[in-house]
Amino acid sequence: METLQIFPAVDVVNGRAVRLVRGEAGTEHDYGDPAAAVAAFVSAGAQWVHMVDLDAAFGRGSNHDLLEQIVASVQGVHIELSGGIRDTPALERALAAGASRVNIGTAALENPQWTADMIARYGEQVAVGLDVRGEEVATHGWVRTAGNLWSVLAQLDAAGCRRYVLTDVTRDGTLTGPNLELLTRVCAATPARVVASGGVSTLADIAALRELVPLGVEGVITGKALYSGAFTLEEALAVGMGLA
């Protein structure tokens, strides 16, 4: 079986690494310096780090300068940047900073032609974040809804999207386990690869997600479980590779 990629998450609010519960503003738990968090994950063997500018996602500011400095300081590790990528300058600035991939979220729903253009231009460097509550896609930092998941998925597939970051908003930051049923249904509906996000709490969850790799699940984003000490990144990487 192929390896399940592990993406440790660093979400940033006002220059600090935080985790939210169900993506709700005001539920932040501060985990300190985001640069230190990234450095720790890199030291532990991370090949990818998933970084989110939550202030940009919520439309209340930007941490881009800080994230740009962190990306520039990391060597030999891929950075996936998300949050507030809604136009060409923002996308190109993120790539110019050294991000290996950027996630388009809200703009994928509100500006589908631009999204299709960016997918055509940048290919594998662009993923689309689908933040799902039930079967509705959430936007603007998960505070609005913007259509049925299956309709959105069909539209983005037609535009040539190669990868989705699928977050079950109701499970994010809750340590209640990933939504395996939703992931299985999405993989059956699209030829694109899928990165899972939301709810991971145990190494058993990582193992369960690895079972979905043949269906199209490429990786998993995990944050709170790592910060709370439920397991270490080294342990998660081992399970993702089938070594434990």
Side-chain angles (χ1 to χ4, degrees), residues 10-57:
V10 180
D11 296 353
V12 182
V13 169
N14 196 27
R16 305 289 289 177
V18 305
R19 295 304 295 168
L20 306 185
V21 178
R22 299 186 180 90
E24 297 173 3
T27 64
E28 294 93 346
H29 187 100
D30 191 320
Y31 288 101
D33 178 11
V38 171
F41 289 141
V42 171
S43 178
Q47 295 181 337
W48 282 87
V49 176
H50 180 79
M51 298 189 69
V52 185
D53 186 340
L54 286 175
D55 288 319

Side-chain angles (χ1 to χ4, degrees), residues 143-158:
V143 298
R144 304 181 196 172
T145 57
N148 174 268
L149 169 62
W150 311 109
S151 298
V152 169
L153 197 62
Q155 182 182 47
L156 288 164
D157 278 351

Side-chain angles (χ1 to χ4, degrees), residues 76-138:
V77 174
H78 298 290
I79 302 292
E80 182 174 72
L81 282 183
S82 184
I85 308 294
R86 299 189 178 109
D87 55 34
T88 303
L91 188 151
E92 292 182 341
R93 185 179 179 188
L95 291 176
S100 297
R101 188 157 69 222
V102 297
N103 289 347
I104 300 174
T106 295
L109 288 302
E110 295 186 342
N111 197 342
Q113 184 56 58
W114 173 78
T115 302
D117 291 345
M118 293 301 100
I119 290 170
R121 184 181 304 179
Y122 292 106
E124 291 283 345
Q125 291 178 288
V126 172
V128 171
L130 296 177
D131 302 327
V132 180
R133 185 180 286 111
E135 294 196 355
E136 294 293 310
V137 179

